[in-house]
């Protein structure tokens, strides 16, 4: 209960802080939507008569906005500039602040990106089956957890290297390719598709988008949950090792 | 000539600084490989389902990606280290003041004095992909010459766009459009014919990403066209002149970070 209250306070604080940076948030929205928009244009050119392509990619854009994570900028910078020390001294888990910032940025991106999603859907005359959209909510929640855990995990490498942006950039490329943004995984060659269905990246964008678009009816919650458990385990191990290695600035 | 010597000296110093950090070199090489690999893989997936995309075959797409990567590599090597986040580093932190006190051109110092030599890896990889693309379709001498001319024009336009973006900081120091610019840059990896008409017009005439890769690649593959060459050179000249004029107009407005 105390954790939830603290998280609520942090979330409120971060939402207010980020409200002053709306122009920067807008550039982040553009950054988030470019890759799915390219996928939309490319696959619409390949399948011009298939309305499922437009529906799927509109869903991918929304899922991307709702799950974006920037821990390499928010959390890793606290390691580089030493302000992580302040967080470590507080009587609360450090990750609470990280999650609060993450949720605040996602909320703003969703709000500011909604017109783009709407405009794309209207211009493509995309219609959704609303029960399918409702069914996609648990998949979306787990996707949000997976993207956060994956980005946070890679951002923890800041304890060991100053090239965290390159590390997270690599993680982003894998997500783009195997997560259903470069192409819906249904159109991947067989070998690639089997690999993509096993790795966690499909659960980050492609799966919730497929369920919302109605191209996949259900199942696979267990697949997402399993990866959440695995990633939480790895994050905990890496966090403990990282904090042991961390030497505060000025010590 | 003096500016070229300055460019060479700056590059030499940057190179010596860069190779002192070997782990960073490994990261840059890996990221360049994976970045290009991802782009190629995304295109190869398309060609498992279609023979052509917007009229471009797989080999032609490889030429496009190679050209895009080449110009992106040159941008990352010579332009980005200077003009990325210029409102923050140049204006708000006062770095521009130091350039203004030096005897060389302030525009040169602010836009080309620093470099990131390790990013040249992208250029090498881009040339490799380009070679892969034209392996079965050797271009004519005229096509190659016009490609080279249009690549140079593309680089000039890239530099001019970066300068114009940086110049916005003279009027709106808090406006930071770098993320937006880098996002829009990604659209250059695809032929403009792929995009919907309004976006295609925008990418051809307003934010000329078509000139970065699509136009030079078309010249290489389909041979030189006088009209395209003249338009490319005119666009480069016009963009460079506009960048220089805007820079000087911005400087007249600038009163120093500490004033």
């Amino acid at each position: 209960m105390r954790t939830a209250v603290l998280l609520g306070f942090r979330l409120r604080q971060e939402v207010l802080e980020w409200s002053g940076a709306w122009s920067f948030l807008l550039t982040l929205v553009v950054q988030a939507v470019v890759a799915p928009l390219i996928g939309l244009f490319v696959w619409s050119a390949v399948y011009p008569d298939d309305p499922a392509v437009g529906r799927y990619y509109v869903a991918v854009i929304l899922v991307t906005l709702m799950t974006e994570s920037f821990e390499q900028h928010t959390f890793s910078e606290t390691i580089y500039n030493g302000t992580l020390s302040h967080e470590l001294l507080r009587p609360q888990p450090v990750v609470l602040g990280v999650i609060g910032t993450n949720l605040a940025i996602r909320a703003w991106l969703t709000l500011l990106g909604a017109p783009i999603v709407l405009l794309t859907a209207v211009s493509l005359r995309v219609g959704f089956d609303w029960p399918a959209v409702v069914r996609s909510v648990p998949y979306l929640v787990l996707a949000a957890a997976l993207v956060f855990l994956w980005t946070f995990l890679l951002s923890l490498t800041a304890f060991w290297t100053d090239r965290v942006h390159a590390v997270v950039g690599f993680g982003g490329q894998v997500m783009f390719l195997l997560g259903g943004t470069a192409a819906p995984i249904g159109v991947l060659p067989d070998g690639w598709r089997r690999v993509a269905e096993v790795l966690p990246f499909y659960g980050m964008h492609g799966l919730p988008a497929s369920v919302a678009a109605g191209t996949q009816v259900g199942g696979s919650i267990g697949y997402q949950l399993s990866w959440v458990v695995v990633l939480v385990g790895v994050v905990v191990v890496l966090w403990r090792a990282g904090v042991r290695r961390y030497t505060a600035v000025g010590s | 000539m003096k500016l070229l010597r300055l460019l060479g000296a700056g590059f030499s110093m940057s190179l010596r600084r860069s190779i002192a950090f070997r782990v960073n070199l490994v990261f840059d090489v890996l990221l360049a490989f994976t970045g290009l690999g991802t782009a190629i893989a995304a295109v190869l997936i398309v060609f498992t389902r279609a023979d052509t995309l917007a009229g471009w075959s797989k080999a032609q797409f490889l030429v496009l990606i190679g050209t895009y990567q080449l110009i992106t590599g040159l941008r990352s090597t010579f332009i980005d280290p200077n003009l990325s986040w210029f409102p923050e580093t140049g204006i708000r932190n006062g770095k521009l003041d130091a350039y203004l006190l030096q005897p060389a051109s302030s525009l040169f110092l602010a836009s080309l004095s620093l470099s990131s030599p390790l990013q040249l890896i992208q250029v090498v990889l881009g040339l490799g992909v380009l070679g892969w693309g034209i392996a079965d379709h050797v271009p004519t001498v005229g096509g190659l010459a016009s490609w080279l001319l249009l690549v140079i024009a593309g680089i000039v336009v890239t530099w001019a766009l970066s300068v114009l973006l940086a110049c916005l900081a003279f009027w709106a120091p808090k406006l930071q459009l770098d993320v937006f610019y880098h996002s829009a840059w990604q659209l250059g990896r695809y032929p403009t014919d792929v995009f919907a008409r309004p976006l295609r017009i925008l990418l051809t005439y307003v934010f000329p990403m078509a000139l970065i890769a699509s136009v030079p690649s078309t010249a290489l593959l389909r041979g030189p066209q006088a009209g395209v060459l003249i338009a490319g050179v005119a666009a480069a000249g016009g963009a460079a002149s506009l960048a220089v004029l805007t820079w000087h107009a911005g400087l007249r407005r600038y009163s120093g970070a500490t004033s």
Side-chain angles (χ1 to χ4, degrees):
Chain A
M1 187 60 190
R2 178 178 170 273
T3 307
V5 171
L6 284 171
L7 181 61
F9 278 129
R10 188 64 183 239
L11 180 59
R12 184 171 173 275
Q13 179 196 348
E14 292 287 341
V15 167
L16 291 173
E17 270 184 28
W18 281 94
S19 66
W22 63 269
S23 60
F24 179 66
L25 287 166
L26 264 181
T27 66
L28 294 184
V29 167
V30 173
Q31 183 189 37
V33 303
V34 161
L37 272 179
I38 289 176
L40 170 65
F41 286 122
V42 167
W43 287 99
S44 295
V46 176
Y47 298 115
D49 302 321
D50 187 354
V53 172
R55 207 162 47 234
Y56 171 78
Y57 271 107
V58 168
V60 169
I61 294 171
L62 191 57
V63 170
T64 306
L65 287 167
M66 295 175 92
T67 59
E68 277 289 85
S69 288
F70 298 97
E71 278 65 48
Q72 74 276 28
H73 295 290
T74 55
F75 170 74
S76 298
E77 284 304 319
T78 66
I79 297 175
Y80 291 151
N81 63 27
T83 50
L84 179 65
S85 311
H86 309 166
E87 297 293 326
L88 287 168
L89 290 171
R90 288 185 181 188
Q92 66 179 53
V94 174
V95 76
L96 269 190
V98 182
I99 294 174
T101 309
N102 179 289
L103 293 177
I105 294 175
R106 283 175 177 178
W108 277 113
L109 291 192
T110 307
L111 188 69
L112 294 172
I116 297 177
V117 179
L118 208 62
L119 192 70
T120 312
V122 170
S123 62
L124 295 173
R125 295 189 183 88
V126 167
F128 280 93
D129 174 30
W130 292 104
V133 175
V134 173
R135 271 200 305 277
S136 72
V137 172
Y139 295 92
L140 179 66
V141 172
L142 287 171
L146 279 172
V147 176
F148 168 73
L149 286 167
W150 174 244
T151 313
F152 187 47
L153 170 66
L154 297 178
S155 300
L156 286 171
T157 57
F159 282 118
W160 291 272
T161 171
D162 65 350
R163 304 296 276 183
V164 71
H165 293 285
V167 175
V168 177
F170 170 72
Q173 287 164 1
V174 183
M175 274 167 63
F176 167 74
L177 194 62
L178 298 173
T181 303
I185 71 160
V187 302
L188 294 181
D190 284 345
W192 286 42
R193 191 173 64 238
R194 276 196 290 274
V195 172
E197 281 170 348
V198 174
L199 293 175
F201 312 109
Y202 174 53
M204 296 177 184
H205 291 144
L207 178 60
S210 297
V211 175
T215 49
Q216 180 157 337
V217 178
S220 308
I221 281 269
Y223 145 80
Q224 280 181 308
L225 272 174
S226 313
W227 274 110
V228 167
V229 172
V230 170
L231 289 178
V232 166
V234 181
V235 162
V236 168
V237 171
L238 214 61
W239 167 256
R240 286 179 182 160
V243 170
R244 272 199 299 275
R245 185 185 160 81
Y246 178 68
T247 309
V249 171
S251 66
Chain B
M1 201 56 176
K2 182 182 157 198
L3 291 183
L4 273 180
R5 276 207 305 276
L6 270 175
L7 184 68
F11 184 80
S12 167
M13 281 198 296
S14 299
L15 183 63
R16 274 176 274 174
R17 266 198 301 268
S18 299
I19 55 178
F21 301 98
R22 290 179 196 156
V23 177
N24 290 358
L25 172 68
V26 173
F27 272 109
D28 283 342
V29 171
L30 280 178
L31 199 67
F33 266 100
T34 56
L36 186 58
T38 306
I40 292 173
V43 167
L44 292 182
I45 292 167
V46 172
F47 286 102
T48 61
R49 298 279 165 171
D51 294 330
T52 60
L53 179 61
W56 291 63
S57 69
K58 187 166 88 177
Q60 290 171 332
F61 239 99
L62 290 173
V63 170
L64 180 75
I65 293 176
T67 305
Y68 171 85
Q69 197 68 29
L70 174 78
I71 296 186
T72 303
L74 290 171
R75 194 200 77 187
S76 307
T77 306
F78 295 106
I79 300 171
D80 285 354
N82 299 282
L83 293 174
S84 268
W85 305 98
F86 184 76
E88 173 72 31
T89 56
I91 302 284
R92 293 209 294 271
N93 290 349
K95 200 171 167 186
L96 180 62
D97 291 2
Y99 290 144
L100 291 171
L101 291 172
Q102 291 174 28
S105 149
S106 62
L107 178 55
F108 171 82
L109 291 172
S111 66
L112 290 168
S113 62
L114 300 173
S115 54
S116 180
L118 300 185
Q119 296 299 324
L120 282 177
I121 297 156
Q122 292 189 56
V123 176
V124 176
L125 292 177
L127 286 172
V129 176
L130 191 67
W132 181 14
I134 58 173
D136 298 327
H137 177 86
V138 180
T140 61
V141 176
L144 204 59
S146 52
W147 172 82
L148 191 61
L149 185 68
L150 288 167
V151 163
I152 293 169
I155 293 166
V156 173
V157 169
T158 303
W159 171 81
L161 280 177
S162 300
V163 171
L164 286 169
L165 201 66
C167 284
L168 284 178
F170 290 120
W171 286 271
K174 288 193 173 172
L175 193 63
Q176 191 70 261
L177 295 179
D178 284 71
V179 178
F180 175 76
Y181 178 50
H182 287 103
S183 301
W185 184 266
Q186 291 179 45
L187 301 175
R189 191 181 285 139
Y190 292 84
T192 44
D193 302 335
V194 167
F195 303 111
R197 194 159 178 271
L199 193 56
R200 196 160 60 227
I201 293 170
L202 196 73
L203 292 175
T204 306
Y205 301 107
V206 182
F207 189 67
M209 291 308 299
L211 195 62
I212 305 304
S214 275
V215 173
S217 304
T218 307
L220 183 67
L221 295 164
R222 294 167 196 170
Q225 284 182 299
V228 174
L229 288 175
I230 293 167
V233 172
S241 306
L242 185 64
V244 172
L245 287 174
T246 311
W247 177 263
H248 288 297
L251 282 187
R252 278 196 295 278
R253 186 185 163 81
Y254 181 69
S255 55
T258 52
S259 64

